[in-house]
Amino acid sequence: MAQKLVIIGNGMAPGRMLEDLFERAPGLYDVTIFNAEPRVNYDRIMLSPVLSGEKTYEDIIIHGDDWYEANGVTLHRGAKVAKIDREAKTVTAENGVTASYDRLVIATGSSPFIIPVSGHDLPGVLAYRDLDDVEKMLKIAAGQGHAVVIGGGLLGLEAAYGLKQRGMSVTVLHLMDTIMERQLDPAAAYLLKKALDDRGIEIITKANTKRILGEGRVEGVELEDGRIISADMVVMAVGIRPAAGLAKDAGLEVNRGIVVDDGMATSDPSIFALGECAEHRGTCYGLVAPLYESAVVLADRLAGGAAEYRGSHVNTKLKVTGIKLFSAGDFAEGPDREEVVLRDATRGVYKRVILQDNRVIGAVLYGDTADGAWYFDMLKRGTDVSEMRETLIYGQAYQGGAAADPAAAVAALPDDAEICGCNGICKGKIVTAIKDKGLTALDDVRAHTKASASCGTCTGLVEQLMALTLGDAYNPAAVQPVCGCTDLGHDDVRRLIRAKGLKTIPAVMQELEWKTSCGCAKCRPALNYYLVCDWPGAYADDYQSRFINERVHANIQKDGTYSVVPRMWGGVTSSKELRAIADVVDKYEIPTVKCTGGQRIDMLGVKKEDLPAVWADLGKAGFVSGQAYAKGLRTVKTCVGSDWCRFGTQDSTGLGVRLEKFMWGSWTPAKLKLAVSGCPRNCAEATCKDIGVICVDSGFEIHFAGAAGLEIRGTEVLGMVKTEDEALEHIVALTQMYREQARYLERIYKWAKRIGYDEVRAQIMDDAEKRTAYFDRFVESQKYAQVDPWSERVSGKDKHEFKPMAVVGHPEPAE
């Protein structure tokens, strides 16, 4: 019979403990969790990106409802525990729910320290510890205004950055001489303060808060020196205290935190403590990595093992976009210590390594943190560095006197070297997961190990491990920077465009620290697409950032002429349209006319200077651009369907025409081709298109993610709908999901494979609210997209594109 395990608290540490426990001893316990918050487990170290708008709550969920259900976990949400009865071995929540236990884990975390100055209880004075705090901040930040953050430590600075990103003006008040004094030496603190100043965040040091002002709600902060700073919000971020009151009331041994031994057991052998509420060997830890290390030990103990927790070394990173910062160990000066310093003012790089008896005991890195993991590993191991003393400050790749391959440096790290500090993931775990589970994509490694899934600063190391482990099987394309102009990948660029509200290419390049002044032919088209898609109506499409075919709205041929393809809705035409095409062919002496695979007519060999006139004549006959050149909707191929075919089950032609007229003009990450077949005989070849429909007697079977080019693959089934209206809604929503999530030039079949076919189905078929939202956003964007580019050019827009350059000769010499 399974034992009863009750957990008080649903933070990251007990979540990690349960993951390990279920893996080690599945079925050993019936698990009940009491969570004071009304939600599932989420990544609390990602609260800062949620505050800044770079992530959402859904992005930071660790264990969704399905995880609890799959593991048989009973989760009581919004159930704060009021009492532990050690004699009866029961736990009772404030809402009256009681559960008995054989083993109990207390994981109540910590409470924020609120400075007990006058006005600290005014509305608008907030702590910064959980999602409820973030939601309160966002509500106030919606009105812009001024925020004052009291505390210039890690959490305070992240809160300040997040509020600044939300449009507030922000002042940070810090009692000490320098910010983050526990993690940074004065030189690194200076560089950090300068970087935050450049981001518009005011920082006042040596600032002692006297009182908080306001009547009915917060209005300002008065300092001891008499200065008054107005405030619409005050965030207290001055420290935390272990939440040990519940344990103390139950008679457990408590000092600053709940006292535990090396097996995480309290003074009651059937009760354990884990996380920020626990005190181990006189230390309470507030960072995630040591909490995860102790969680693994506790999982082993609960499974019958004898693992011991011996304490942790910790390192610090700041989650502020564009700032690279690493700190670990003891960096105080002392007579028995030696420091090695590198300063590069031009690059904004500062490195300081502190040695004692030829061993690293501390390191502070700013601007270039690539070697943080290496220094940290040597610190934990007590490695003798006397042999590398002369080159130590230059990093791991330079050991031996010359620059080496960075991959070789990662290969030299031992298996227990920490790669992901946020989640406490070592090299060996990542490599084992890659090998055992056949992982080939970064997203898969993140899903299975959590490495680089939080702040993301270790992504480069994880990618290097993947390359080393997979060899030729590793395809880094999906995680490479957009181009040489930036270190950011497509996903990060797009995420930051939205989060920062960037609506022009210069704004993107400035805010995301592009390395070139104007970008290049690789990044500009990508940025242009992301801005067109994310800010319809607010961003003006920059044609000069498009490839030649999109710029002139025709396909260039190998002889320098162009092909012109008018749009034929669903492949349907008429005698009038055919006569107009024939007249254009004759008038402009177009040498070749060919039927395309998309049921249209292609006129090949049009001179560039003739393009506007050709378009004008076609426009008079009612044609618009077929956009055969576009990273957008190309064609909707159809069969004749039930109107003519004796096998047709639905009006496939009518649906195809309706789809094309509804969706034309929309830009997409790559070309998009649709097809509608009137019966399973599939004459329109719908099962190798980006999106396809197979009509059957009972309705419409929607397919997606096919390919018939360099890569040939059949489609996946999205699902079945009954009506034509439903088919249109689902297809449009799927297209918008693809538009919003895919990387530029990523075909729909590659995107769907990367994020998972089931994820696409879940959002489009199962989640009506999300589907409707996608549909509505597409409809809104079409207000600005359905403008015929041929007509625009005929009316004179960018007319210089189509004028041949004049031939200018040398003037004749005067006689």
Side-chain angles (χ1 to χ4, degrees):
M1 184 176 177
Q3 300 179 62
K4 296 177 181 178
L5 173 64
V6 172
I7 302 170
I8 304 174
N10 195 33
M12 298 173 70
R16 170 58 64 87
M17 182 271 293
L18 284 175
E19 288 177 349
D20 265 54
L21 179 61
F22 292 148
E23 189 174 327
R24 294 170 190 266
L28 183 60
Y29 291 97
D30 283 333
V31 179
T32 299
I33 300 175
F34 287 86
N35 187 17
E37 290 190 61
R39 53 183 65 91
V40 294
N41 186 12
Y42 60 90
D43 189 342
R44 291 170 188 268
I45 62 177
M46 287 290 101
L47 285 175
S48 296
V50 172
L51 179 60
S52 68
E54 296 171 30
K55 289 184 180 290
T56 65
Y57 166 61
E58 288 74 18
D59 294 329
I60 68 170
I61 290 174
I62 297 176
H63 298 133
D65 290 316
D66 54 346
W67 182 84
Y68 296 94
E69 183 178 349
N71 289 286
V73 176
T74 300
L75 173 62
H76 296 294
R77 309 171 200 236
K80 185 177 181 180
V81 171
K83 180 182 179 182
I84 300 170
D85 187 332
R86 290 168 56 195
E87 290 188 11
K89 284 195 170 186
T90 60
V91 167
T92 302
E94 290 179 349
N95 62 7
V97 175
T98 297
S100 60
Y101 66 85
D102 297 304
R103 301 281 184 93
L104 174 65
V105 176
I106 303 175
T108 45
S110 60
S111 303
F113 180 71
I114 302 297
I115 304 173
V117 295
S118 173
H120 72 273
D121 54 353
L122 282 169
V125 178
L126 306 171
Y128 184 31
R129 291 300 295 165
D130 58 29
L131 198 64
D132 290 334
D133 295 328
V134 171
E135 290 175 350
K136 292 174 186 175
M137 290 184 198
L138 292 177
K139 187 175 181 179
I140 298 174
Q144 309 288 296
H146 191 89
V148 172
V149 178
I150 301 177
L154 188 71
L155 205 59
L157 296 180
E158 290 180 358
Y161 172 75
L163 293 171
K164 182 66 179 178
Q165 291 300 104
R166 290 293 185 173
M168 300 193 79
S169 57
V170 182
T171 299
V172 177
L173 306 177
H174 192 56
L175 183 63
M176 307 304 291
D177 294 351
T178 60
I179 55 177
M180 287 185 67
E181 73 282 351
R182 293 184 180 181
Q183 294 88 15
L184 302 180
D185 63 13
Y190 164 78
L191 290 170
L192 176 59
K193 182 177 182 297
K194 183 174 181 293
L196 293 171
D197 285 341
D198 292 342
R199 285 162 170 76
I201 298 172
E202 181 187 21
I203 298 177
I204 303 174
T205 55
K206 301 180 184 177
N208 192 6
T209 301
K210 180 179 181 180
R211 60 177 175 159
I212 297 174
L213 308 174
E215 293 185 11
R217 64 167 295 103
V218 65
E219 297 174 7
V221 176
E222 182 180 352
L223 303 181
E224 286 287 356
D225 62 10
R227 281 181 288 179
I228 294 178
I229 302 167
S230 64
D232 300 286
M233 176 197 313
V234 172
V235 178
M236 294 270 194
V238 293
I240 57 174
R241 291 174 171 170
L246 192 64
K248 188 174 183 179
D249 292 343
L252 298 175
E253 184 182 353
V254 173
N255 289 331
R256 182 164 178 260
I258 306 168
V259 178
V260 296
D261 61 18
D262 290 351
M264 306 308 294
T266 67
S267 53
D268 183 328
S270 63
I271 301 178
F272 302 81
L274 182 66
E276 293 176 335
C277 65
E279 178 181 326
H280 175 263
R281 298 189 182 186
T283 300
C284 297
Y285 294 97
L287 296 175
V288 173
L291 307 187
Y292 277 175
E293 291 173 11
S294 57
V296 172
V297 169
L298 178 53
D300 182 79
R301 286 297 182 107
L302 290 173
E308 294 185 341
Y309 177 59
R310 301 297 180 87
S312 299
H313 295 283
V314 297
N315 65 74
T316 298
K317 297 167 186 172
L318 184 69
K319 289 176 284 300
V320 172
T321 300
I323 294 179
K324 297 179 180 180
L325 175 68
F326 175 90
S327 171
D330 183 356
F331 49 82
E333 297 180 358
D336 58 342
R337 298 179 177 187
E338 178 186 6
E339 62 178 10
V340 189
V341 177
L342 181 149
R343 299 178 193 265
D344 186 337
T346 302
R347 293 174 56 221
V349 171
Y350 170 77
K351 299 182 180 182
R352 178 173 173 232
V353 179
I354 299 87
L355 305 177
Q356 188 175 50
D357 298 328
N358 285 318
R359 286 169 171 79
V360 176
I361 63 168
V364 181
L365 310 177
Y366 184 93
D368 180 1
T369 59
D371 289 303
W374 181 59
Y375 290 126
F376 190 52
D377 185 64
M378 289 192 293
L379 184 153
K380 291 192 296 182
R381 294 175 180 279
T383 304
D384 189 325
V385 299
S386 54
E387 294 295 320
M388 64 180 87
R389 171 64 182 77
E390 295 301 316
T391 57
L392 181 68
I393 198 64
Y394 300 111
Q396 187 181 12
Y398 283 81
Q399 299 317 303
D405 180 2
V410 176
L413 289 173
D415 281 349
D416 60 353
E418 182 180 88
I419 299 296
C420 177
C422 291
N423 296 299
I425 309 300
C426 65
K427 173 185 172 182
K429 181 172 183 177
I430 298 170
V431 172
T432 299
I434 292 170
K435 291 179 177 178
D436 292 352
K437 299 181 183 297
L439 308 180
T440 58
L442 177 63
D443 288 343
D444 293 335
V445 173
R446 285 173 171 163
H448 287 278
T449 69
K450 292 188 172 62
S452 88
S454 293
C455 76
T457 55
C458 64
T459 298
L461 288 174
V462 175
E463 291 169 0
Q464 290 179 34
L465 278 179
M466 293 177 67
L468 287 167
T469 307
L470 295 169
D472 293 339
Y474 176 58
N475 178 10
V479 294
Q480 284 183 336
V482 172
C483 64
C485 301
T486 178
D487 293 328
L488 298 171
H490 284 272
D491 294 344
D492 285 331
V493 167
R494 192 158 199 189
R495 172 174 57 82
L496 293 169
I497 284 173
R498 293 169 180 153
K500 292 174 174 285
L502 306 177
K503 297 182 180 179
T504 67
I505 290 177
V508 172
M509 292 181 176
Q510 178 64 28
E511 292 296 321
L512 304 190
E513 302 180 352
W514 239 241
K515 300 175 185 177
T516 57
S517 60
C518 297
C520 67
K522 190 172 183 181
C523 64
R524 286 190 72 93
L527 295 181
N528 187 58
Y529 168 70
Y530 295 147
L531 291 166
V532 164
C533 182
D534 291 343
W535 306 113
Y539 172 74
D541 194 352
D542 180 16
Y543 287 113
Q544 297 309 309
S545 293
R546 292 194 176 278
F547 296 124
I548 178 62
N549 289 349
E550 292 181 344
R551 199 161 65 240
V552 301
H553 296 281
N555 279 327
I556 193 168
Q557 304 300 305
K558 68 178 184 179
D559 64 353
T561 63
Y562 289 82
S563 76
V564 171
V565 183
R567 191 172 289 283
M568 291 180 174
W569 309 107
V572 177
T573 188
S574 66
S575 60
K576 178 186 174 184
E577 289 181 346
L578 292 172
R579 286 191 186 96
I581 291 173
D583 290 343
V584 166
V585 171
D586 291 341
K587 182 176 179 179
Y588 298 99
E589 299 179 345
I590 300 173
T592 302
V593 181
K594 186 182 184 306
C595 293
T596 72
Q599 299 177 334
R600 303 193 295 195
I601 292 176
D602 191 357
M603 291 166 274
L604 296 121
V606 183
K607 300 180 183 69
K608 186 174 183 180
E609 59 267 28
D610 286 341
L611 285 172
V614 169
W615 295 336
D617 287 354
L618 291 171
K620 291 173 185 175
F623 285 113
V624 297
S625 172
Q627 296 179 304
Y629 47 80
K631 306 296 183 289
L633 178 67
R634 298 285 183 87
T635 65
V636 181
K637 187 174 182 178
T638 67
C639 69
V640 297
S642 58
D643 278 0
W644 295 96
C645 180
R646 58 198 177 95
F647 299 112
T649 62
Q650 306 284 353
D651 179 12
S652 55
T653 305
L655 176 56
V657 171
R658 185 180 176 190
L659 284 168
E660 191 165 353
K661 288 188 174 182
F662 195 94
M663 298 174 64
W664 76 274
S666 61
W667 296 102
T668 50
K671 63 183 178 181
L672 187 69
K673 295 183 178 181
L674 278 63
V676 184
S677 287
C679 75
R681 287 168 177 78
N682 195 21
C683 293
E685 301 167 342
T687 52
C688 63
K689 293 293 188 282
D690 296 294
I691 302 174
V693 179
I694 301 293
C695 300
V696 294
D697 288 328
S698 58
F700 305 85
E701 187 177 77
I702 303 173
H703 291 242
F704 71 110
L710 292 174
E711 185 171 340
I712 299 173
R713 53 167 293 119
T715 51
E716 299 286 328
V717 176
L718 180 70
M720 173 72 87
V721 297
K722 293 182 179 180
T723 68
E724 191 175 283
D725 287 346
E726 289 177 304
L728 184 138
E729 180 189 5
H730 284 69
I731 289 168
V732 168
L734 170 60
T735 301
Q736 183 66 13
M737 182 182 177
Y738 166 57
R739 294 179 75 221
E740 293 180 2
Q741 296 184 9
R743 298 159 183 159
Y744 185 63
L745 301 183
E746 184 178 36
R747 291 292 300 273
I748 195 169
Y749 70 92
K750 293 183 178 179
W751 162 75
K753 181 179 180 181
R754 174 168 61 83
I755 72 166
Y757 304 121
D758 288 340
E759 178 64 20
V760 178
R761 294 184 187 102
Q763 293 198 34
I764 302 303
M765 297 304 300
D766 302 334
D767 192 330
E769 187 175 344
K770 278 192 175 180
R771 181 175 65 248
T772 301
Y774 283 130
F775 180 85
D776 290 343
R777 288 197 292 273
F778 184 91
V779 170
E780 175 66 21
S781 71
Q782 287 296 82
K783 294 178 183 178
Y784 312 98
Q786 287 193 326
V787 177
D788 177 31
W790 287 358
S791 177
E792 277 190 327
R793 295 307 183 276
V794 169
S795 66
K797 182 176 174 60
D798 294 334
K799 61 184 178 181
H800 63 278
E801 283 273 5
F802 310 103
K803 289 184 177 180
M805 294 180 66
V807 178
V808 181
H810 294 287
E812 294 293 330
E815 293 185 3

